[in-house]
């Protein structure tokens, strides 16, 4: 990679990080890309929340490599819809990450020989007026010879309930040391303004725990809830997973 190209990617990533530092509520976010040593794909996903019900969650990894959200305190759970789901599933060489139960829709489609895009064509934004939270999704499929990874966002058309904007971003070649970031919102507000434009360049590290610390420390301390970093080794598909959950109120 030339010096000019390296400088360009770093400048774009620095701008993304500055925007995140200044943003108290990007909502749920996904970053997908490649480690600097170009040996592993990386998936980063985090959740944030403003209400007590939304903040009452933790990430729970399962032995099969899937990961689910779960109520930190079941007694305080008032509405499980839209907040209890599987952010991570995989099927064969396809590794899925999303911000809702569309994970299951994509997973079922892949198992049946379908596609990422075809599965999402059956879904819309989340039914939570007035925000109409976008559904953001990503996939890495080691058997996809054309694309390193894909991202998608499904959102209302300027809060028009009758229309769903469906945007898909296909990245044919990953950039070592960088990924692309997408979130549900561009910031706080009422209603919350949906993410706009293309996914943004964001930095990644060889050490997944360093990546986890970097993004966890970047997020607003009052609103962040949980974060995960998954790596997928290109050579053999081996995966690793790091999870960070916000300590319980009153905890260390």
């Amino acid at each position: 990679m030339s010096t000019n190209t390296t400088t360009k990617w770093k400048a774009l990533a620095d701008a993304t990080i500055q925007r995140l530092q200044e943003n108290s509520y990007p909502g749920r976010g996904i970053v997908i890309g490649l480690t600097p040593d170009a040996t592993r794909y990386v998936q980063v996903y985090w959740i944030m929340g403003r209400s007590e019900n939304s903040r009452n969650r933790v990430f729970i990894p399962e032995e099969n490599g899937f990961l689910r959200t779960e109520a930190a305190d079941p007694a305080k759970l008032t509405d499980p819809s839209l907040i209890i789901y599987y952010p991570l599933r995989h099927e064969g060489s396809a590794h899925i990450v999303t911000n809702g139960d569309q994970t299951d829709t994509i997973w079922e489609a892949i198992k049946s020989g379908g596609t990422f895009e075809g599965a999402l064509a059956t879904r819309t934004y989340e039914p939570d007026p007035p925000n109409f939270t976008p559904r953001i999704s990503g996939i890495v499929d080691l058997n996809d010879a054309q694309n390193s990874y894909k991202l998608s966002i499904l959102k209302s058309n300027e809060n028009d309930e009758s229309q769903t904007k469906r945007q898909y971003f296909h990245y044919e070649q990953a950039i070592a040391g960088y990924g692309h970031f997408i979130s549900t919102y561009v910031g706080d507000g009422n209603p919350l303004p949906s993410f706009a434009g293309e996914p943004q360049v964001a930095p990644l590290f060889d050490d997944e725990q360093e990546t986890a610390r970097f993004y966890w420390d970047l997020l607003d301390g009052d609103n962040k809830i949980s974060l995960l970093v998954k790596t997928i080794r290109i050579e053999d598909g081996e995966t690793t997973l790091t999870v960070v959950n916000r300590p319980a109120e009153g905890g260390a």
Side-chain angles (χ1 to χ4, degrees), residues 116 149-153 167-171 182 197-199:
F116 178 74
Y149 54 92
K150 300 176 182 179
L151 287 165
S152 170
I153 182 168
Q167 296 176 305
Y168 302 92
F169 304 93
H170 294 183
Y171 296 93
I182 195 169
E198 295 187 12

Side-chain angles (χ1 to χ4, degrees), residues 33-42 175-178 203-215 229-233 240 242:
L34 189 66
T35 54
D37 65 10
T39 64
R40 287 158 293 153
Y41 288 114
V42 183
I175 309 160
Y178 297 96
L204 295 168
F205 307 96
D206 285 325
D207 184 339
E208 71 180 72
Q209 293 188 3
E210 183 179 359
T211 297
R213 286 193 302 270
F214 179 84
Y215 283 100
V229 178
K230 177 179 178 178
T231 71
I232 306 143
R233 194 159 63 189
T240 62
T242 293

